[in-house]
Amino acid sequence: MRATGSVGWLLLCTALAGSAAADTPADDAYARGARVYERCAACHALEWDRTGPRHCGLIGRRAGSVPGFPYSPAMRSAGFVWDERTLDRFLRSPLTAVPGTSMGYDGVKDDAERQDLIVFLREVNDTAPCRKLSADAAQRP
């Protein structure tokens, strides 16, 4: 059931991004990033953990820190915070950026696709579902 909700939410984001894509170049990057994110949806969702951890709240979060997610020891001890620079490095080649990570994906090799994906991940964090999830998490002891 959750996967269906994730796919539905992703399709809604993609449709909304596509309808706004003609407005500005930033919207174009968001729409293109949403399409790149479809590849990520095989293992990740925005609002909950799947094979990989959730992506709501990713920007500004310490790597390996989603409570209850079974990260690899390498990711738990990576020691960095996700920002545009660390995402770019990791998404280019996860296994090189964090040797020993359990994320077996080879990476997003195309520079433009990677940048569009980062725009999407940054902007999606300002959506109501992600803000609510982050607020709920902040209230937990």
Side-chain angles (χ1 to χ4, degrees):
M1 184 72 175
R2 287 188 154 205
T4 303
S6 175
V7 171
W9 200 87
L10 180 61
L11 290 174
L12 175 61
C13 285
T14 303
L16 291 174
S19 67
D23 295 343
T24 67
D27 289 332
D28 289 340
Y30 179 89
R32 289 188 309 264
R35 287 190 297 274
V36 175
Y37 189 78
E38 291 173 7
R39 292 183 235 157
C40 306
C43 296
H44 293 276
L46 293 170
E47 298 179 64
W48 55 80
D49 301 335
R50 296 184 69 206
T51 302
R54 73 194 77 145
H55 283 148
C56 276
L58 178 66
I59 306 293
R61 182 168 70 211
R62 184 169 190 76
S65 68
V66 171
F69 187 81
Y71 289 100
S72 66
M75 187 57 77
R76 280 195 310 270
S77 64
F80 61 83
V81 172
W82 293 113
D83 61 20
E84 292 184 24
R85 183 184 57 81
T86 56
L87 270 172
D88 183 60
R89 184 171 170 252
F90 184 78
L91 291 170
R92 183 181 308 117
S93 179
L95 298 169
T96 301
V98 181
T101 183
S102 57
M103 184 168 154
Y105 183 64
D106 192 37
V108 180
K109 302 303 182 195
D110 183 270
D111 292 341
E113 284 187 341
R114 214 170 40 255
Q115 290 309 307
D116 291 341
L117 177 57
I118 292 167
V119 166
F120 173 76
L121 290 169
R122 182 185 66 225
E123 291 184 16
V124 80
N125 280 294
D126 289 331
T127 62
C130 282
R131 285 193 314 265
K132 181 179 179 344
L133 186 66
S134 294
D136 291 348
Q139 293 177 0
R140 288 188 205 117

